[in-house]
């Protein structure tokens, strides 16, 4: 599909490893593969290939995206849940990588530290794909970019505002994506939750090359003024103690995405979220938070989540198409 970009055999661990041209290529490839799926055109050119899906953290969208994408292309999948492998327990990561690399054509990892997926990549001998680590979420970024293009036409020069805890995978990755692709990135949050200075400095260099910018602010109205994209994520990961919930709610409540925030953005602005979102009381976690803290909504109000500006489910679908593109590009295109 492309004579200029060749990603065969490459790992997909963080967007820091990819040039703007390579990111553009992956998203364009995803758009082509999405069109083929919508038209019912078969892409099952990988019959006989198999991929391992390692999930130390469970998931709905990432697992389904990898499994459906692989199935569409004729590949077999083996899902290894937190209890389904000995990785890092009875068997070292390096040994696990070398075993799986002998059996599979590609390996996906979703779990904890970035160093784990990096070590898998070092020893596997086949492409390794990052489905999420504490530090980065690169497959989500491709879905974000595809969704932006579908709704806004282009990402160049747009203002993307991330509201919430910007120290981890989503804040980090959105900042990298924006800086690489010429967007104006704003982390709008309490100063305690600003991204690490070292990564900010690195992204500022990317932004200088692309024409983008990086801004950190605690002021909601300044940060979201004339925004093109408002993005948020859950404030607390599952399993964290109640003390963490109390602190995050106290510090992040001013950064909830609500009607006032969206009205401060451009009229054409879109809202998105990597999901799951706590915008009502229809989940166990939502009801538990309501009982303990009296809040019916957390990072986003139900009004915004269900509004016409919300593109969260478009982005959720695009996870599948962009993950398919990553696998096609790194396993080798069929043309």
């Amino acid at each position: 599909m492309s004579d200029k970009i060749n990603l065969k055999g490459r790992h997909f661990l963080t967007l820091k490893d990819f040039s703007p041209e390579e990111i553009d290529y992956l998203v364009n490839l995803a758009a082509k593969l999405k069109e083929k799926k919508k038209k019912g055109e078969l892409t099952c050119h990988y019959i006989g290939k198999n991929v391992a899906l390692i999930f130390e953290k469970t998931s709905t969208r990432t697992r389904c995206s990898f499994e459906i994408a692989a199935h569409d292309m004729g590949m077999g999948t083996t899902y290894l849940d937190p209890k389904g492998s000995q990785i890092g327990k009875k068997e070292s990561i390096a040994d696990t990588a070398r075993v799986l690399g002998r059996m599979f054509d590609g390996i996906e990892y979703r779990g904890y530290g970035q160093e784990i997926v990096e070590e898998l990549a070092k020893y596997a001998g086949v492409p390794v794909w990052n489905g999420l680590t504490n530090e980065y979420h690169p497959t989500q970024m491709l879905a974000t970019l595809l969704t932006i293009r579908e709704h806004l036409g282009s990402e160049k020069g747009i203002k993307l505002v991330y509201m919430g805890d910007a120290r981890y995978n989503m804040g980090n990755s959105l900042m990298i994506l924006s800086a690489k692709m010429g967007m104006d990135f704003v982390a709008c949050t309490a100063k305690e939750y600003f991204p690490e200075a070292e990564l900010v400095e690195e992204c500022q260099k990317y932004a200088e090359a692309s024409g983008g910018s990086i801004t950190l602010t605690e002021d909601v109205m300044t940060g979201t003024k004339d925004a093109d994209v408002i993005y948020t994520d859950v404030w607390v990961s599952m399993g964290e103690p109640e003390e963490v919930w109390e602190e995050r709610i106290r510090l992040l409540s001013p950064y909830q995405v609500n009607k006032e925030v969206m009205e401060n953005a451009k009229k054409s602005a879109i809202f998105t979220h990597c999901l799951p979102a706590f915008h009502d009381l229809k989940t166990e976690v939502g009801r538990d938070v309501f009982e303990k803290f009296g809040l019916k909504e957390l990072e986003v109000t139900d009004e915004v989540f269900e509004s016409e500006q919300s593109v969260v489910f478009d982005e959720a679908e695009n996870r599948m198409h962009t993950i398919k593109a990553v696998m096609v590009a790194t396993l080798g295109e069929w043309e």
Side-chain angles (χ1 to χ4, degrees), residues 116-294:
I116 299 174
V117 76
E118 298 278 355
E119 190 167 4
L120 281 171
K122 181 178 179 180
Y123 291 100
V126 297
V128 172
W129 310 301
N130 180 0
L132 174 140
T133 60
N134 293 339
E135 294 84 355
Y136 303 114
H137 200 356
T139 58
Q140 186 76 50
M141 295 305 100
L142 297 183
T144 297
L145 186 52
L146 178 57
T147 306
I148 288 172
R149 290 183 177 181
E150 289 174 342
H151 287 272
L152 301 180
S154 173
E155 72 277 7
K156 289 295 182 183
I158 72 164
K159 181 177 180 179
L160 186 151
V161 182
Y162 178 74
M163 303 181 73
D165 189 343
R167 299 172 298 172
Y168 300 116
N169 45 47
M170 286 304 300
N172 289 345
S173 296
L174 285 166
M175 182 166 62
I176 294 166
L177 174 71
S178 299
K180 290 257 186 180
M181 303 308 292
M183 293 185 269
D184 296 319
F185 174 80
V186 179
C188 185
T189 186
K191 63 182 179 180
E192 292 88 344
Y193 299 138
F194 283 173
E196 290 187 5
E198 184 178 352
L199 183 60
V200 171
E201 185 177 349
E202 187 175 358
C203 286
Q204 284 173 334
K205 293 177 182 178
Y206 299 148
E208 287 173 10
S210 71
S213 67
I214 306 294
T215 302
L216 311 181
T217 182
E218 292 185 271
D219 189 277
V220 173
M221 290 295 102
T222 300
T224 60
K225 182 65 176 175
D226 294 328
D228 296 282
V229 181
I230 302 290
Y231 208 121
T232 192
D233 190 14
V234 293
W235 289 344
V236 184
S237 297
M238 297 307 96
E240 293 193 76
E242 187 173 316
E243 296 74 29
V244 173
W245 280 93
E246 291 177 355
E247 178 188 273
R248 299 276 174 84
I249 288 171
R250 176 172 55 85
L251 291 174
L252 291 176
S253 287
Y255 302 96
Q256 180 190 68
V257 180
N258 51 36
K259 182 180 179 181
E260 184 179 15
V261 165
M262 296 306 298
E263 288 179 344
N264 195 46
K266 289 181 180 176
K267 288 185 178 180
S268 58
I270 58 175
F271 165 76
T272 192
H273 191 303
C274 60
L275 302 180
F278 299 114
H279 58 98
D280 55 27
L281 299 180
K282 297 177 182 177
T283 65
E284 289 183 13
V285 172
R287 290 189 291 271
D288 188 49
V289 167
F290 178 69
E291 289 176 7
K292 292 178 180 176
F293 304 103

Side-chain angles (χ1 to χ4, degrees), residues 24-87:
D24 179 66
Y25 160 72
L26 285 168
V27 175
N28 286 338
L29 177 57
K32 292 175 184 176
L33 292 167
K34 181 175 182 176
E35 185 179 6
K36 286 180 180 290
K37 186 172 179 68
K38 297 296 183 183
K39 290 180 178 178
E41 296 180 18
L42 296 179
T43 56
C44 51
H45 303 280
Y46 297 87
I47 294 172
K49 291 187 178 294
N50 296 279
V51 295
L53 308 178
I54 302 172
F55 279 74
E56 292 197 295
K57 286 185 178 179
T58 56
S59 166
T60 299
R61 280 152 298 281
T62 302
R63 177 182 177 178
C64 291
S65 295
F66 270 100
E67 288 190 341
I68 294 171
H71 177 78
D72 280 355
M73 297 189 294
M75 292 191 287
T77 59
T78 297
Y79 174 75
L80 300 170
D81 66 18
K83 297 180 181 179
S85 77
Q86 301 297 341
I87 184 170

